[in-house]
Amino acid sequence: MNTREITLGALILFACFAYTASAQSPLQPESRGDTQSWNELQFTVPINEQVDLTFSGTLRLGRNLGDFIDERVGAGLDFKLGKYFEISPGYEYIVKQPEPGRNTYENRLSLAGTVKIPVGSFSIKNRNQIERRLRNSNSDITRYRNRLLLSRPVKIGGTELELFVSNEVFYDFSENAWTRNRFSVGGEKKFSEHFTLEVYYTRQNDGFSSPGDLHIIGTTFKLR
């Protein structure tokens, strides 16, 4: 890694931490916090060289890992428009258990545009996403999300990994405010042409949801 790449990585990390600090809400009571586990399975079918179809299923544990709190299934398309830009429409059906014995339901529509910029051995991705949340127990809302991600391949003890750090902020149009921040760090290992495993840690801060301040350990199993 040369001096230019080290400097770039430090600047991106500093921007992520600064972004995190700017989007956090005032201190919240401890009852707003939770420790959760997010587990996702993705199955991608290439339609052609420019288009992928992906199906997903997600299971989330919460209440300090003691109960199921969120199940979702979804599908989406990725359209590659050249080397550096993708457009991704998607849909998710979500069932949540905000408290034991009570279910809420949501249909979520999304449209994302992602720019990918290679800089030396680094890859920088910026995703801008708009989503419409159709909920049975609350009013429908529209939300904007922006995620900045920095990744780099490394070799540790002969094992090739892709390490990443990212930060994502959420703007809720019903609140007219930046309501949520997610800072993540993790890595993925490609075991074969058809299977990749991603493991990550996420810290979420959100003063508008309960619980909103989360410690999250996540896994994503990617089949292609």
Side-chain angles (χ1 to χ4, degrees), residues 55-93:
F55 301 95
S56 63
T58 304
L59 178 64
R60 295 181 178 181
L61 293 170
R63 290 188 270 278
N64 295 316
L65 306 180
D67 202 357
F68 296 107
I69 60 165
D70 188 308
E71 302 84 41
R72 54 186 70 190
V73 294
L77 290 166
D78 291 320
F79 296 92
K80 301 176 181 66
L81 306 180
K83 295 174 61 177
Y84 306 116
F85 186 63
E86 292 182 1
I87 291 181
S88 306
Y91 165 78
E92 276 189 307
Y93 178 70

Side-chain angles (χ1 to χ4, degrees), residues 8 12 28 36 38 47 52 67 90 109 124 148:
L8 173 64
I12 295 294
Q28 301 295 327
Q36 299 185 0
W38 295 1
I47 304 300
D52 286 342
D67 202 357
L109 305 172
I124 302 172
L148 179 67

Side-chain angles (χ1 to χ4, degrees), residues 136-195:
N136 77 311
S137 60
N138 290 291
S139 58
D140 300 338
I141 63 172
T142 301
R143 193 164 64 176
Y144 165 73
R145 302 166 59 167
N146 178 267
R147 186 187 70 182
L148 179 67
L149 182 145
L150 173 69
S151 64
R152 186 182 189 275
V154 300
K155 183 174 288 188
I156 301 175
T159 301
E160 294 184 357
L161 302 172
E162 182 89 10
L163 301 183
F164 66 86
V165 59
S166 70
N167 198 76
E168 184 172 22
V169 290
F170 296 64
Y171 186 87
D172 190 329
F173 287 93
S174 64
E175 300 285 353
N176 292 318
W178 297 96
T179 58
R180 177 174 295 176
N181 189 98
R182 284 181 184 163
F183 176 80
S184 302
V185 59
E188 67 175 32
K189 164 66 176 174
K190 187 173 183 178
F191 290 90
S192 71
E193 182 182 353
H194 304 290
F195 174 57

